[in-house]
Amino acid sequence: MATIIQKPGLPEIKDNSEVKSFLNKRGIQYDHWPVPSNSNSLTDKLTLVDEEKEALLKNLDNRFETLKEKEGYQSRDLIVLHPQVPGLNEMLAKFDKVHYHTDDEVRYIVDGSGIFGFALSGEKFLVKVEKDDFISVPKNTNHWFTLDENKRIKAVRYFQDMSGWVPNYVEETTALV
């Protein structure tokens, strides 16, 4: 279940319905989709070869078919990050600064965890996502992403248009103040 971390002095939000309401009020779609148990042998592995990635994506195709039909998504892939990925810190450095995309950023976390940060209309907050969390960040929304202390995540990425997924950086700090 996701956790909302607000500026100092404000409480964390952990209740699933409260997280969903908090994010929906800010235009961010959130849901909790349990990963099918027949995927555990793949989600529990640190690394996956291409055939295993495709098998995991096939196990989750019902989600992709729904998103294709309702939202027009055209493609999806699986990103697998962990401490042994070569160049991990350089890869993460592209997204740990405030930026936006011209396409929605849609993620279904199937293992591990990470942190999305948001800077919206003067408000900043973090959303810690973990296994079973689905989040859709609308296009042109200022945000950033980093892994947490575990440095491990498997996430399905859904795309309407791959060209819209380039980060456009903005001058904004990630500090929650």
Side-chain angles (χ1 to χ4, degrees), residues 122-159:
E123 177 186 36
K124 291 185 184 172
F125 58 92
L126 305 175
V127 181
K128 181 170 184 179
V129 293
E130 54 190 43
K131 184 175 181 175
D132 302 330
D133 288 332
F134 171 86
I135 189 165
S136 179
V137 180
K139 65 183 176 180
N140 302 318
T141 298
N142 288 344
H143 69 284
W144 63 95
F145 178 81
T146 189
L147 293 177
D148 62 13
E149 64 279 357
N150 297 317
K151 298 263 189 222
R152 178 180 168 157
I153 197 165
K154 288 184 189 77
V156 182
R157 306 184 302 175
Y158 299 97
F159 302 99

PDB file of all heavy atoms in Angstrom, residues 122-159:
ATOM      1  N   GLY A 122       2.332  24.848  -5.400  1.00  0.00           N
ATOM      2  CA  GLY A 122       2.921  25.253  -4.132  1.00  0.00           C
ATOM      3  C   GLY A 122       2.949  24.175  -3.067  1.00  0.00           C
ATOM      4  O   GLY A 122       3.494  24.379  -1.991  1.00  0.00           O
ATOM      5  N   GLU A 123       2.375  23.025  -3.332  1.00  0.00           N
ATOM      6  CA  GLU A 123       2.351  21.918  -2.380  1.00  0.00           C
ATOM      7  C   GLU A 123       3.356  20.857  -2.826  1.00  0.00           C
ATOM      8  O   GLU A 123       3.412  20.513  -4.009  1.00  0.00           O
ATOM      9  CB  GLU A 123       0.949  21.302  -2.332  1.00  0.00           C
ATOM     10  CG  GLU A 123       0.846  20.100  -1.433  1.00  0.00           C
ATOM     11  CD  GLU A 123      -0.515  19.419  -1.501  1.00  0.00           C
ATOM     12  OE1 GLU A 123      -1.117  19.371  -2.593  1.00  0.00           O
ATOM     13  OE2 GLU A 123      -0.958  18.932  -0.457  1.00  0.00           O
ATOM     14  N   LYS A 124       4.120  20.336  -1.875  1.00  0.00           N
ATOM     15  CA  LYS A 124       5.046  19.237  -2.178  1.00  0.00           C
ATOM     16  C   LYS A 124       4.751  18.076  -1.254  1.00  0.00           C
ATOM     17  O   LYS A 124       4.479  18.259  -0.071  1.00  0.00           O
ATOM     18  CB  LYS A 124       6.494  19.681  -2.016  1.00  0.00           C
ATOM     19  CG  LYS A 124       6.931  20.669  -3.072  1.00  0.00           C
ATOM     20  CD  LYS A 124       8.388  20.975  -2.933  1.00  0.00           C
ATOM     21  CE  LYS A 124       8.773  22.035  -3.941  1.00  0.00           C
ATOM     22  NZ  LYS A 124      10.144  22.497  -3.724  1.00  0.00           N
ATOM     23  N   PHE A 125       4.821  16.877  -1.820  1.00  0.00           N
ATOM     24  CA  PHE A 125       4.609  15.671  -1.031  1.00  0.00           C
ATOM     25  C   PHE A 125       5.252  14.501  -1.745  1.00  0.00           C
ATOM     26  O   PHE A 125       5.577  14.574  -2.934  1.00  0.00           O
ATOM     27  CB  PHE A 125       3.108  15.406  -0.790  1.00  0.00           C
ATOM     28  CG  PHE A 125       2.301  15.263  -2.050  1.00  0.00           C
ATOM     29  CD1 PHE A 125       2.083  14.028  -2.627  1.00  0.00           C
ATOM     30  CD2 PHE A 125       1.749  16.390  -2.662  1.00  0.00           C
ATOM     31  CE1 PHE A 125       1.339  13.894  -3.790  1.00  0.00           C
ATOM     32  CE2 PHE A 125       1.003  16.267  -3.827  1.00  0.00           C
ATOM     33  CZ  PHE A 125       0.795  15.021  -4.388  1.00  0.00           C
ATOM     34  N   LEU A 126       5.453  13.420  -1.001  1.00  0.00           N
ATOM     35  CA  LEU A 126       6.027  12.184  -1.536  1.00  0.00           C
ATOM     36  C   LEU A 126       4.971  11.095  -1.499  1.00  0.00           C
ATOM     37  O   LEU A 126       4.110  11.085  -0.622  1.00  0.00           O
ATOM     38  CB  LEU A 126       7.225  11.736  -0.702  1.00  0.00           C
ATOM     39  CG  LEU A 126       8.364  12.727  -0.507  1.00  0.00           C
ATOM     40  CD1 LEU A 126       9.415  12.153   0.450  1.00  0.00           C
ATOM     41  CD2 LEU A 126       8.979  13.117  -1.835  1.00  0.00           C
ATOM     42  N   VAL A 127       5.089  10.165  -2.446  1.00  0.00           N
ATOM     43  CA  VAL A 127       4.248   8.974  -2.448  1.00  0.00           C
ATOM     44  C   VAL A 127       5.183   7.775  -2.529  1.00  0.00           C
ATOM     45  O   VAL A 127       5.840   7.559  -3.550  1.00  0.00           O
ATOM     46  CB  VAL A 127       3.265   8.947  -3.647  1.00  0.00           C
ATOM     47  CG1 VAL A 127       2.405   7.698  -3.581  1.00  0.00           C
ATOM     48  CG2 VAL A 127       2.419  10.201  -3.678  1.00  0.00           C
ATOM     49  N   LYS A 128       5.261   7.034  -1.424  1.00  0.00           N
ATOM     50  CA  LYS A 128       6.062   5.810  -1.440  1.00  0.00           C
ATOM     51  C   LYS A 128       5.168   4.711  -2.000  1.00  0.00           C
ATOM     52  O   LYS A 128       4.111   4.414  -1.455  1.00  0.00           O
ATOM     53  CB  LYS A 128       6.563   5.432  -0.053  1.00  0.00           C
ATOM     54  CG  LYS A 128       7.416   4.177  -0.111  1.00  0.00           C
ATOM     55  CD  LYS A 128       8.134   3.882   1.168  1.00  0.00           C
ATOM     56  CE  LYS A 128       9.014   2.658   0.942  1.00  0.00           C
ATOM     57  NZ  LYS A 128       9.766   2.292   2.113  1.00  0.00           N
ATOM     58  N   VAL A 129       5.587   4.137  -3.121  1.00  0.00           N
ATOM     59  CA  VAL A 129       4.826   3.064  -3.763  1.00  0.00           C
ATOM     60  C   VAL A 129       5.540   1.748  -3.536  1.00  0.00           C
ATOM     61  O   VAL A 129       6.763   1.698  -3.392  1.00  0.00           O
ATOM     62  CB  VAL A 129       4.627   3.325  -5.279  1.00  0.00           C
ATOM     63  CG1 VAL A 129       3.718   4.529  -5.515  1.00  0.00           C
ATOM     64  CG2 VAL A 129       5.956   3.528  -5.992  1.00  0.00           C
ATOM     65  N   GLU A 130       4.750   0.681  -3.509  1.00  0.00           N
ATOM     66  CA  GLU A 130       5.317  -0.649  -3.324  1.00  0.00           C
ATOM     67  C   GLU A 130       4.472  -1.653  -4.101  1.00  0.00           C
ATOM     68  O   GLU A 130       3.516  -1.273  -4.790  1.00  0.00           O
ATOM     69  CB  GLU A 130       5.409  -1.000  -1.844  1.00  0.00           C
ATOM     70  CG  GLU A 130       4.127  -0.864  -1.089  1.00  0.00           C
ATOM     71  CD  GLU A 130       4.332  -0.984   0.413  1.00  0.00           C
ATOM     72  OE1 GLU A 130       5.288  -0.408   0.961  1.00  0.00           O
ATOM     73  OE2 GLU A 130       3.514  -1.662   1.048  1.00  0.00           O
ATOM     74  N   LYS A 131       4.830  -2.923  -3.978  1.00  0.00           N
ATOM     75  CA  LYS A 131       4.159  -3.985  -4.721  1.00  0.00           C
ATOM     76  C   LYS A 131       2.645  -3.832  -4.626  1.00  0.00           C
ATOM     77  O   LYS A 131       2.109  -3.565  -3.555  1.00  0.00           O
ATOM     78  CB  LYS A 131       4.581  -5.353  -4.174  1.00  0.00           C
ATOM     79  CG  LYS A 131       4.002  -6.516  -4.965  1.00  0.00           C
ATOM     80  CD  LYS A 131       4.537  -7.840  -4.459  1.00  0.00           C
ATOM     81  CE  LYS A 131       3.966  -8.985  -5.281  1.00  0.00           C
ATOM     82  NZ  LYS A 131       4.556 -10.266  -4.898  1.00  0.00           N
ATOM     83  N   ASP A 132       1.977  -3.981  -5.758  1.00  0.00           N
ATOM     84  CA  ASP A 132       0.520  -3.915  -5.925  1.00  0.00           C
ATOM     85  C   ASP A 132      -0.002  -2.503  -6.145  1.00  0.00           C
ATOM     86  O   ASP A 132      -1.200  -2.318  -6.331  1.00  0.00           O
ATOM     87  CB  ASP A 132      -0.249  -4.543  -4.751  1.00  0.00           C
ATOM     88  CG  ASP A 132       0.088  -6.005  -4.507  1.00  0.00           C
ATOM     89  OD1 ASP A 132       0.429  -6.708  -5.476  1.00  0.00           O
ATOM     90  OD2 ASP A 132      -0.003  -6.435  -3.348  1.00  0.00           O
ATOM     91  N   ASP A 133       0.859  -1.486  -6.135  1.00  0.00           N
ATOM     92  CA  ASP A 133       0.394  -0.112  -6.344  1.00  0.00           C
ATOM     93  C   ASP A 133       0.413   0.249  -7.820  1.00  0.00           C
ATOM     94  O   ASP A 133       1.375  -0.058  -8.537  1.00  0.00           O
ATOM     95  CB  ASP A 133       1.267   0.881  -5.570  1.00  0.00           C
ATOM     96  CG  ASP A 133       1.042   0.828  -4.075  1.00  0.00           C
ATOM     97  OD1 ASP A 133      -0.078   0.474  -3.652  1.00  0.00           O
ATOM     98  OD2 ASP A 133       1.982   1.157  -3.320  1.00  0.00           O
ATOM     99  N   PHE A 134      -0.643   0.916  -8.251  1.00  0.00           N
ATOM    100  CA  PHE A 134      -0.764   1.455  -9.608  1.00  0.00           C
ATOM    101  C   PHE A 134      -0.876   2.966  -9.467  1.00  0.00           C
ATOM    102  O   PHE A 134      -1.679   3.464  -8.680  1.00  0.00           O
ATOM    103  CB  PHE A 134      -2.022   0.902 -10.295  1.00  0.00           C
ATOM    104  CG  PHE A 134      -2.333   1.581 -11.599  1.00  0.00           C
ATOM    105  CD1 PHE A 134      -1.753   1.142 -12.774  1.00  0.00           C
ATOM    106  CD2 PHE A 134      -3.210   2.653 -11.648  1.00  0.00           C
ATOM    107  CE1 PHE A 134      -2.029   1.771 -13.981  1.00  0.00           C
ATOM    108  CE2 PHE A 134      -3.498   3.288 -12.840  1.00  0.00           C
ATOM    109  CZ  PHE A 134      -2.907   2.848 -14.016  1.00  0.00           C
ATOM    110  N   ILE A 135      -0.054   3.694 -10.230  1.00  0.00           N
ATOM    111  CA  ILE A 135      -0.100   5.153 -10.183  1.00  0.00           C
ATOM    112  C   ILE A 135       0.003   5.705 -11.599  1.00  0.00           C
ATOM    113  O   ILE A 135       0.766   5.191 -12.422  1.00  0.00           O
ATOM    114  CB  ILE A 135       1.010   5.723  -9.260  1.00  0.00           C
ATOM    115  CG1 ILE A 135       0.812   7.217  -9.036  1.00  0.00           C
ATOM    116  CG2 ILE A 135       2.387   5.375  -9.773  1.00  0.00           C
ATOM    117  CD1 ILE A 135       1.635   7.765  -7.871  1.00  0.00           C
ATOM    118  N   SER A 136      -0.802   6.714 -11.862  1.00  0.00           N
ATOM    119  CA  SER A 136      -0.788   7.389 -13.156  1.00  0.00           C
ATOM    120  C   SER A 136      -0.601   8.877 -12.922  1.00  0.00           C
ATOM    121  O   SER A 136      -1.487   9.555 -12.395  1.00  0.00           O
ATOM    122  CB  SER A 136      -2.098   7.128 -13.913  1.00  0.00           C
ATOM    123  OG  SER A 136      -2.087   7.801 -15.158  1.00  0.00           O
ATOM    124  N   VAL A 137       0.585   9.369 -13.291  1.00  0.00           N
ATOM    125  CA  VAL A 137       0.933  10.778 -13.151  1.00  0.00           C
ATOM    126  C   VAL A 137       0.543  11.470 -14.455  1.00  0.00           C
ATOM    127  O   VAL A 137       1.069  11.128 -15.512  1.00  0.00           O
ATOM    128  CB  VAL A 137       2.449  10.938 -12.887  1.00  0.00           C
ATOM    129  CG1 VAL A 137       2.818  12.402 -12.750  1.00  0.00           C
ATOM    130  CG2 VAL A 137       2.877  10.122 -11.669  1.00  0.00           C
ATOM    131  N   PRO A 138      -0.385  12.428 -14.400  1.00  0.00           N
ATOM    132  CA  PRO A 138      -0.823  13.077 -15.636  1.00  0.00           C
ATOM    133  C   PRO A 138       0.306  13.826 -16.337  1.00  0.00           C
ATOM    134  O   PRO A 138       1.236  14.324 -15.684  1.00  0.00           O
ATOM    135  CB  PRO A 138      -1.901  14.066 -15.173  1.00  0.00           C
ATOM    136  CG  PRO A 138      -2.306  13.608 -13.819  1.00  0.00           C
ATOM    137  CD  PRO A 138      -1.099  12.928 -13.233  1.00  0.00           C
ATOM    138  N   LYS A 139       0.209  13.904 -17.652  1.00  0.00           N
ATOM    139  CA  LYS A 139       1.207  14.655 -18.413  1.00  0.00           C
ATOM    140  C   LYS A 139       1.294  16.079 -17.875  1.00  0.00           C
ATOM    141  O   LYS A 139       0.327  16.603 -17.301  1.00  0.00           O
ATOM    142  CB  LYS A 139       0.867  14.649 -19.908  1.00  0.00           C
ATOM    143  CG  LYS A 139      -0.413  15.362 -20.264  1.00  0.00           C
ATOM    144  CD  LYS A 139      -0.680  15.241 -21.740  1.00  0.00           C
ATOM    145  CE  LYS A 139      -2.017  15.875 -22.104  1.00  0.00           C
ATOM    146  NZ  LYS A 139      -2.290  15.755 -23.527  1.00  0.00           N
ATOM    147  N   ASN A 140       2.459  16.664 -18.006  1.00  0.00           N
ATOM    148  CA  ASN A 140       2.743  18.035 -17.580  1.00  0.00           C
ATOM    149  C   ASN A 140       2.635  18.250 -16.068  1.00  0.00           C
ATOM    150  O   ASN A 140       2.444  19.381 -15.616  1.00  0.00           O
ATOM    151  CB  ASN A 140       1.860  19.038 -18.332  1.00  0.00           C
ATOM    152  CG  ASN A 140       2.049  18.929 -19.830  1.00  0.00           C
ATOM    153  OD1 ASN A 140       3.170  18.795 -20.307  1.00  0.00           O
ATOM    154  ND2 ASN A 140       0.962  18.954 -20.568  1.00  0.00           N
ATOM    155  N   THR A 141       2.765  17.182 -15.286  1.00  0.00           N
ATOM    156  CA  THR A 141       2.747  17.273 -13.826  1.00  0.00           C
ATOM    157  C   THR A 141       4.175  17.261 -13.302  1.00  0.00           C
ATOM    158  O   THR A 141       4.935  16.329 -13.588  1.00  0.00           O
ATOM    159  CB  THR A 141       1.957  16.084 -13.226  1.00  0.00           C
ATOM    160  OG1 THR A 141       0.612  16.136 -13.676  1.00  0.00           O
ATOM    161  CG2 THR A 141       1.990  16.113 -11.714  1.00  0.00           C
ATOM    162  N   ASN A 142       4.546  18.276 -12.529  1.00  0.00           N
ATOM    163  CA  ASN A 142       5.898  18.343 -11.964  1.00  0.00           C
ATOM    164  C   ASN A 142       6.072  17.265 -10.899  1.00  0.00           C
ATOM    165  O   ASN A 142       5.311  17.200  -9.937  1.00  0.00           O
ATOM    166  CB  ASN A 142       6.146  19.719 -11.350  1.00  0.00           C
ATOM    167  CG  ASN A 142       6.300  20.801 -12.396  1.00  0.00           C
ATOM    168  OD1 ASN A 142       6.520  20.531 -13.569  1.00  0.00           O
ATOM    169  ND2 ASN A 142       6.182  22.044 -11.974  1.00  0.00           N
ATOM    170  N   HIS A 143       7.075  16.432 -11.103  1.00  0.00           N
ATOM    171  CA  HIS A 143       7.333  15.320 -10.191  1.00  0.00           C
ATOM    172  C   HIS A 143       8.781  14.878 -10.303  1.00  0.00           C
ATOM    173  O   HIS A 143       9.525  15.378 -11.140  1.00  0.00           O
ATOM    174  CB  HIS A 143       6.395  14.142 -10.510  1.00  0.00           C
ATOM    175  CG  HIS A 143       6.693  13.490 -11.809  1.00  0.00           C
ATOM    176  ND1 HIS A 143       6.343  14.032 -13.035  1.00  0.00           N
ATOM    177  CD2 HIS A 143       7.347  12.338 -12.108  1.00  0.00           C
ATOM    178  CE1 HIS A 143       6.751  13.241 -14.013  1.00  0.00           C
ATOM    179  NE2 HIS A 143       7.372  12.211 -13.468  1.00  0.00           N
ATOM    180  N   TRP A 144       9.167  13.952  -9.456  1.00  0.00           N
ATOM    181  CA  TRP A 144      10.475  13.304  -9.524  1.00  0.00           C
ATOM    182  C   TRP A 144      10.309  11.888  -8.992  1.00  0.00           C
ATOM    183  O   TRP A 144       9.287  11.535  -8.438  1.00  0.00           O
ATOM    184  CB  TRP A 144      11.541  14.093  -8.760  1.00  0.00           C
ATOM    185  CG  TRP A 144      11.333  14.222  -7.288  1.00  0.00           C
ATOM    186  CD1 TRP A 144      11.860  13.425  -6.309  1.00  0.00           C
ATOM    187  CD2 TRP A 144      10.557  15.207  -6.587  1.00  0.00           C
ATOM    188  NE1 TRP A 144      11.455  13.850  -5.058  1.00  0.00           N
ATOM    189  CE2 TRP A 144      10.653  14.958  -5.205  1.00  0.00           C
ATOM    190  CE3 TRP A 144       9.771  16.284  -7.002  1.00  0.00           C
ATOM    191  CZ2 TRP A 144      10.019  15.722  -4.234  1.00  0.00           C
ATOM    192  CZ3 TRP A 144       9.137  17.049  -6.037  1.00  0.00           C
ATOM    193  CH2 TRP A 144       9.254  16.774  -4.682  1.00  0.00           C
ATOM    194  N   PHE A 145      11.324  11.061  -9.213  1.00  0.00           N
ATOM    195  CA  PHE A 145      11.262   9.673  -8.762  1.00  0.00           C
ATOM    196  C   PHE A 145      12.642   9.229  -8.304  1.00  0.00           C
ATOM    197  O   PHE A 145      13.658   9.577  -8.910  1.00  0.00           O
ATOM    198  CB  PHE A 145      10.785   8.730  -9.868  1.00  0.00           C
ATOM    199  CG  PHE A 145      10.754   7.291  -9.420  1.00  0.00           C
ATOM    200  CD1 PHE A 145       9.687   6.814  -8.679  1.00  0.00           C
ATOM    201  CD2 PHE A 145      11.803   6.429  -9.695  1.00  0.00           C
ATOM    202  CE1 PHE A 145       9.659   5.487  -8.217  1.00  0.00           C
ATOM    203  CE2 PHE A 145      11.786   5.111  -9.244  1.00  0.00           C
ATOM    204  CZ  PHE A 145      10.707   4.643  -8.513  1.00  0.00           C
ATOM    205  N   THR A 146      12.650   8.426  -7.252  1.00  0.00           N
ATOM    206  CA  THR A 146      13.884   7.806  -6.794  1.00  0.00           C
ATOM    207  C   THR A 146      13.541   6.466  -6.150  1.00  0.00           C
ATOM    208  O   THR A 146      12.399   6.221  -5.771  1.00  0.00           O
ATOM    209  CB  THR A 146      14.641   8.720  -5.802  1.00  0.00           C
ATOM    210  OG1 THR A 146      15.932   8.158  -5.548  1.00  0.00           O
ATOM    211  CG2 THR A 146      13.878   8.885  -4.507  1.00  0.00           C
ATOM    212  N   LEU A 147      14.522   5.627  -6.051  1.00  0.00           N
ATOM    213  CA  LEU A 147      14.333   4.388  -5.304  1.00  0.00           C
ATOM    214  C   LEU A 147      14.514   4.680  -3.820  1.00  0.00           C
ATOM    215  O   LEU A 147      15.186   5.645  -3.442  1.00  0.00           O
ATOM    216  CB  LEU A 147      15.335   3.332  -5.756  1.00  0.00           C
ATOM    217  CG  LEU A 147      15.156   2.813  -7.185  1.00  0.00           C
ATOM    218  CD1 LEU A 147      16.261   1.817  -7.541  1.00  0.00           C
ATOM    219  CD2 LEU A 147      13.792   2.182  -7.363  1.00  0.00           C
ATOM    220  N   ASP A 148      13.941   3.845  -2.983  1.00  0.00           N
ATOM    221  CA  ASP A 148      14.140   4.003  -1.546  1.00  0.00           C
ATOM    222  C   ASP A 148      15.426   3.273  -1.153  1.00  0.00           C
ATOM    223  O   ASP A 148      16.209   2.841  -2.010  1.00  0.00           O
ATOM    224  CB  ASP A 148      12.911   3.534  -0.758  1.00  0.00           C
ATOM    225  CG  ASP A 148      12.599   2.058  -0.950  1.00  0.00           C
ATOM    226  OD1 ASP A 148      13.446   1.304  -1.485  1.00  0.00           O
ATOM    227  OD2 ASP A 148      11.503   1.640  -0.557  1.00  0.00           O
ATOM    228  N   GLU A 149      15.626   3.103   0.129  1.00  0.00           N
ATOM    229  CA  GLU A 149      16.879   2.516   0.637  1.00  0.00           C
ATOM    230  C   GLU A 149      17.119   1.090   0.146  1.00  0.00           C
ATOM    231  O   GLU A 149      18.259   0.622   0.119  1.00  0.00           O
ATOM    232  CB  GLU A 149      16.906   2.557   2.177  1.00  0.00           C
ATOM    233  CG  GLU A 149      15.844   1.714   2.860  1.00  0.00           C
ATOM    234  CD  GLU A 149      14.446   2.361   2.942  1.00  0.00           C
ATOM    235  OE1 GLU A 149      14.263   3.515   2.523  1.00  0.00           O
ATOM    236  OE2 GLU A 149      13.523   1.675   3.410  1.00  0.00           O
ATOM    237  N   ASN A 150      16.089   0.377  -0.289  1.00  0.00           N
ATOM    238  CA  ASN A 150      16.263  -0.991  -0.787  1.00  0.00           C
ATOM    239  C   ASN A 150      16.815  -1.046  -2.206  1.00  0.00           C
ATOM    240  O   ASN A 150      17.315  -2.085  -2.632  1.00  0.00           O
ATOM    241  CB  ASN A 150      14.937  -1.752  -0.709  1.00  0.00           C
ATOM    242  CG  ASN A 150      14.445  -1.894   0.712  1.00  0.00           C
ATOM    243  OD1 ASN A 150      15.222  -2.198   1.620  1.00  0.00           O
ATOM    244  ND2 ASN A 150      13.177  -1.646   0.928  1.00  0.00           N
ATOM    245  N   LYS A 151      16.698   0.048  -2.934  1.00  0.00           N
ATOM    246  CA  LYS A 151      17.222   0.145  -4.314  1.00  0.00           C
ATOM    247  C   LYS A 151      16.751  -1.029  -5.180  1.00  0.00           C
ATOM    248  O   LYS A 151      17.523  -1.616  -5.940  1.00  0.00           O
ATOM    249  CB  LYS A 151      18.751   0.201  -4.319  1.00  0.00           C
ATOM    250  CG  LYS A 151      19.327   1.389  -3.621  1.00  0.00           C
ATOM    251  CD  LYS A 151      19.661   2.448  -4.598  1.00  0.00           C
ATOM    252  CE  LYS A 151      20.438   3.562  -3.930  1.00  0.00           C
ATOM    253  NZ  LYS A 151      20.006   4.848  -4.363  1.00  0.00           N
ATOM    254  N   ARG A 152      15.452  -1.347  -5.054  1.00  0.00           N
ATOM    255  CA  ARG A 152      14.925  -2.483  -5.829  1.00  0.00           C
ATOM    256  C   ARG A 152      13.471  -2.205  -6.205  1.00  0.00           C
ATOM    257  O   ARG A 152      12.658  -1.871  -5.340  1.00  0.00           O
ATOM    258  CB  ARG A 152      15.012  -3.745  -4.976  1.00  0.00           C
ATOM    259  CG  ARG A 152      14.444  -4.961  -5.660  1.00  0.00           C
ATOM    260  CD  ARG A 152      14.548  -6.185  -4.786  1.00  0.00           C
ATOM    261  NE  ARG A 152      13.738  -7.248  -5.379  1.00  0.00           N
ATOM    262  CZ  ARG A 152      13.899  -8.514  -5.167  1.00  0.00           C
ATOM    263  NH1 ARG A 152      14.852  -8.937  -4.370  1.00  0.00           N
ATOM    264  NH2 ARG A 152      13.117  -9.406  -5.735  1.00  0.00           N
ATOM    265  N   ILE A 153      13.176  -2.369  -7.496  1.00  0.00           N
ATOM    266  CA  ILE A 153      11.799  -2.219  -7.959  1.00  0.00           C
ATOM    267  C   ILE A 153      11.628  -2.964  -9.279  1.00  0.00           C
ATOM    268  O   ILE A 153      12.567  -3.066 -10.077  1.00  0.00           O
ATOM    269  CB  ILE A 153      11.419  -0.728  -8.124  1.00  0.00           C
ATOM    270  CG1 ILE A 153       9.891  -0.557  -8.189  1.00  0.00           C
ATOM    271  CG2 ILE A 153      12.106  -0.100  -9.331  1.00  0.00           C
ATOM    272  CD1 ILE A 153       9.429   0.875  -7.997  1.00  0.00           C
ATOM    273  N   LYS A 154      10.442  -3.524  -9.450  1.00  0.00           N
ATOM    274  CA  LYS A 154       9.997  -4.046 -10.744  1.00  0.00           C
ATOM    275  C   LYS A 154       8.689  -3.327 -11.027  1.00  0.00           C
ATOM    276  O   LYS A 154       7.774  -3.356 -10.198  1.00  0.00           O
ATOM    277  CB  LYS A 154       9.757  -5.550 -10.708  1.00  0.00           C
ATOM    278  CG  LYS A 154      11.000  -6.392 -10.631  1.00  0.00           C
ATOM    279  CD  LYS A 154      10.648  -7.883 -10.698  1.00  0.00           C
ATOM    280  CE  LYS A 154      11.848  -8.740 -10.412  1.00  0.00           C
ATOM    281  NZ  LYS A 154      12.169  -8.788  -8.982  1.00  0.00           N
ATOM    282  N   ALA A 155       8.618  -2.684 -12.175  1.00  0.00           N
ATOM    283  CA  ALA A 155       7.416  -1.915 -12.500  1.00  0.00           C
ATOM    284  C   ALA A 155       7.079  -2.082 -13.973  1.00  0.00           C
ATOM    285  O   ALA A 155       7.961  -2.020 -14.836  1.00  0.00           O
ATOM    286  CB  ALA A 155       7.624  -0.441 -12.180  1.00  0.00           C
ATOM    287  N   VAL A 156       5.791  -2.278 -14.225  1.00  0.00           N
ATOM    288  CA  VAL A 156       5.306  -2.258 -15.605  1.00  0.00           C
ATOM    289  C   VAL A 156       5.095  -0.791 -15.966  1.00  0.00           C
ATOM    290  O   VAL A 156       4.485  -0.037 -15.200  1.00  0.00           O
ATOM    291  CB  VAL A 156       3.992  -3.047 -15.764  1.00  0.00           C
ATOM    292  CG1 VAL A 156       3.540  -3.032 -17.221  1.00  0.00           C
ATOM    293  CG2 VAL A 156       4.156  -4.474 -15.271  1.00  0.00           C
ATOM    294  N   ARG A 157       5.643  -0.390 -17.100  1.00  0.00           N
ATOM    295  CA  ARG A 157       5.478   0.972 -17.595  1.00  0.00           C
ATOM    296  C   ARG A 157       4.535   0.903 -18.792  1.00  0.00           C
ATOM    297  O   ARG A 157       4.754   0.103 -19.698  1.00  0.00           O
ATOM    298  CB  ARG A 157       6.827   1.570 -18.016  1.00  0.00           C
ATOM    299  CG  ARG A 157       7.861   1.499 -16.906  1.00  0.00           C
ATOM    300  CD  ARG A 157       9.171   2.172 -17.264  1.00  0.00           C
ATOM    301  NE  ARG A 157       9.780   1.615 -18.464  1.00  0.00           N
ATOM    302  CZ  ARG A 157      10.887   2.099 -19.031  1.00  0.00           C
ATOM    303  NH1 ARG A 157      11.496   3.145 -18.525  1.00  0.00           N
ATOM    304  NH2 ARG A 157      11.396   1.532 -20.110  1.00  0.00           N
ATOM    305  N   TYR A 158       3.508   1.732 -18.768  1.00  0.00           N
ATOM    306  CA  TYR A 158       2.522   1.764 -19.852  1.00  0.00           C
ATOM    307  C   TYR A 158       2.692   3.075 -20.614  1.00  0.00           C
ATOM    308  O   TYR A 158       2.864   4.135 -20.009  1.00  0.00           O
ATOM    309  CB  TYR A 158       1.103   1.677 -19.286  1.00  0.00           C
ATOM    310  CG  TYR A 158       0.843   0.403 -18.517  1.00  0.00           C
ATOM    311  CD1 TYR A 158       0.950   0.370 -17.138  1.00  0.00           C
ATOM    312  CD2 TYR A 158       0.496  -0.776 -19.176  1.00  0.00           C
ATOM    313  CE1 TYR A 158       0.710  -0.797 -16.413  1.00  0.00           C
ATOM    314  CE2 TYR A 158       0.264  -1.948 -18.461  1.00  0.00           C
ATOM    315  CZ  TYR A 158       0.369  -1.946 -17.087  1.00  0.00           C
ATOM    316  OH  TYR A 158       0.139  -3.107 -16.388  1.00  0.00           O
ATOM    317  N   PHE A 159       2.597   2.984 -21.957  1.00  0.00           N
ATOM    318  CA  PHE A 159       2.827   4.160 -22.799  1.00  0.00           C
ATOM    319  C   PHE A 159       1.719   4.336 -23.830  1.00  0.00           C
ATOM    320  O   PHE A 159       1.278   3.368 -24.447  1.00  0.00           O
ATOM    321  CB  PHE A 159       4.154   4.013 -23.567  1.00  0.00           C
ATOM    322  CG  PHE A 159       5.350   3.815 -22.687  1.00  0.00           C
ATOM    323  CD1 PHE A 159       5.856   2.543 -22.475  1.00  0.00           C
ATOM    324  CD2 PHE A 159       5.967   4.881 -22.067  1.00  0.00           C
ATOM    325  CE1 PHE A 159       6.968   2.339 -21.669  1.00  0.00           C
ATOM    326  CE2 PHE A 159       7.072   4.699 -21.255  1.00  0.00           C
ATOM    327  CZ  PHE A 159       7.575   3.419 -21.060  1.00  0.00           C
TER     328      PHE A 159
END
